[in-house]
Amino acid sequence: MMDACAIMWNGAEQGVYTPMRMQRSQFVLRMKHSVLFSNYERRLMKAMDDLIAIQDDWDGYGAPSVSRTAVLRCRKCLKAFQSSLYARMTVVANEWGGVQLHYKFIGGQVCCDFGDDRMSYYIKWNNGKEELHSFEEYTESNIKSLGQVLYNLA
């Protein structure tokens, strides 16, 4: 029954809008998730912007500043991942001038290192077992593979 409904605009192709009717509860739920995921994305992008500002020797042990290229590579990978994964992600600088992305899931965590020309990641299970995928090139196939690993662990 459509007694409580909202109009949501759908299909903005070539300036033509067609109204789509849905129940208010569906509309609110979609809006809530859309805002929620965009907030997580904004948080990750802001964190990466902050990483670019880090100076050499930020850790007190001579670590280089974070490479702008590594940040751009990490951003590109994030765009390829499903936004529903963003809530469990954090990004930090690594000691080699790259970006490290952490993804926590019920059974453990995935740590991804993004450098200028390669990425690596490992899965650390709560039982102590680890799986290493080292020095993968930035190809569409490898990025898609990493995204699939994260999605399967969600």
Side-chain angles (χ1 to χ4, degrees):
M1 186 160 187
M2 298 290 289
D3 55 338
C5 65
I7 296 177
M8 186 173 129
W9 296 100
N10 189 23
E13 296 174 9
Q14 300 174 353
V16 177
Y17 294 91
T18 56
M20 180 178 81
R21 297 183 70 80
M22 63 174 50
Q23 291 182 353
R24 184 165 301 282
S25 61
Q26 292 174 323
F27 178 75
V28 170
L29 186 62
R30 284 190 186 176
M31 291 302 292
K32 182 178 178 182
H33 286 298
S34 176
V35 170
L36 190 63
F37 292 137
S38 65
N39 285 340
Y40 290 128
E41 182 179 10
R42 272 196 297 275
R43 177 183 52 83
L44 288 170
M45 296 306 159
K46 168 78 169 85
M48 283 188 274
D49 289 343
D50 293 345
L51 292 179
I52 292 173
I54 290 177
Q55 301 295 318
D56 285 339
D57 196 30
W58 58 268
D59 64 350
Y61 294 99
S65 60
V66 176
S67 160
R68 186 174 296 276
T69 303
V71 170
L72 293 174
R73 299 276 192 178
C74 185
R75 282 181 191 247
K76 181 178 179 181
C77 287
L78 279 175
K79 294 291 184 184
F81 302 157
Q82 292 189 8
S83 61
S84 62
L85 301 173
Y86 294 166
R88 297 181 184 173
M89 292 182 175
T90 56
V91 293
V92 295
N94 69 25
E95 62 268 26
W96 303 288
V99 177
Q100 188 171 76
L101 181 139
H102 294 266
Y103 175 74
K104 293 185 180 183
F105 61 98
I106 292 172
Q109 69 176 332
V110 178
C111 295
C112 311
D113 283 306
F114 296 93
D116 285 348
D117 57 353
R118 299 212 186 270
M119 65 180 179
S120 64
Y121 65 95
Y122 66 91
I123 303 169
K124 186 173 184 178
W125 300 92
N126 289 340
N127 65 9
K129 180 182 169 191
E130 292 187 7
E131 297 175 34
L132 177 64
H133 302 267
S134 191
F135 304 114
E136 307 279 342
E137 292 183 16
Y138 286 108
T139 63
E140 295 299 319
S141 173
N142 288 340
I143 292 168
K144 186 176 180 178
S145 174
L146 174 57
Q148 191 63 47
V149 166
L150 297 175
Y151 180 74
N152 289 341
L153 295 171

